[in-house]
Amino acid sequence: MHLLSVLVLLGAVLVQVKRTTALELIPPPVIIEEPWKISSLRYESTSSSNLVRATIINPNDYPAGPAPRLGYVTFTESTANCTTLWPADSEYPDRNIYNCTLVEPNAWASWTVELLTPESAVETVDLAFTLTQHVNALGGYWKIFTGMAHFGKGEMDRACNEDGDCVWSLKAENTPALVNATMTMCKGYC
């Protein structure tokens, strides 16, 4: 009798363990806890070209989706340097979307920047950033976030040389500039 009780108890424990390990851990919801940060912005206008350089930081980690035996996969924070370049003789660039370069390797993140048509190309800089986070394993998880930034003359310092070449830089008191991001697309775990 005692052996039968032990076997029944052992069987019940094994069934419970199997049930527990078969359950997938549910990732937390996607919450953008902190805005993105533009740590530097520089706009150069010379007789031959126009250039905008920005460094953007996503300080957030986002759940990508469940992963068997691992709990869930996390998209981690990332930082990118973004550059737009166009000839001085054209008012706006012929290609508005530019790929950014990640500061640290991150296989699951890619950034682009879009130079938006500003009110005044000399007095303002309007940028739209897109962060695409993706992992193709586990059926594929994608999350795309966008955020827009507008910089006016009051937020930037301007310096020009005698040839008329000018540089605008984000003022120290406006650094980092905050960009509110929104998730615009999601595939997999949303």
Side-chain angles (χ1 to χ4, degrees), residues 64-129:
R69 296 182 294 281
L70 298 174
Y72 58 91
V73 177
T74 301
F75 291 135
T76 58
E77 61 187 51
S78 61
T79 301
N81 291 320
C82 304
T83 303
T84 66
L85 176 66
W86 68 100
D89 59 1
S90 65
E91 191 170 337
Y92 303 109
D94 59 352
R95 188 179 75 111
N96 283 0
I97 300 176
Y98 300 84
N99 291 322
C100 302
T101 303
L102 290 167
V103 172
E104 294 180 13
N106 184 329
W108 295 347
S110 62
W111 286 88
T112 60
V113 64
E114 180 178 2
L115 183 64
L116 303 173
T117 304
E119 296 170 16
S120 165
V122 175
E123 299 296 333
T124 63
V125 176
D126 294 330
L127 302 169
F129 293 93

Side-chain angles (χ1 to χ4, degrees), residues 14-73:
L14 289 175
V15 167
Q16 185 62 37
V17 167
K18 184 171 176 144
R19 271 193 207 141
T20 302
T21 58
L23 291 176
E24 291 184 321
L25 294 175
I26 305 298
V30 176
I31 297 173
I32 302 170
E33 294 180 4
E34 292 183 56
W36 294 343
K37 297 176 173 105
I38 296 178
S39 61
S40 68
L41 175 73
R42 184 176 174 94
Y43 173 37
E44 300 174 23
S45 179
T46 67
S47 59
S48 61
S49 65
N50 294 298
L51 173 82
V52 174
R53 289 188 178 143
T55 299
I56 189 156
I57 302 163
N58 168 31
N60 302 291
D61 290 340
Y62 307 109
R69 296 182 294 281
L70 298 174
Y72 58 91
V73 177

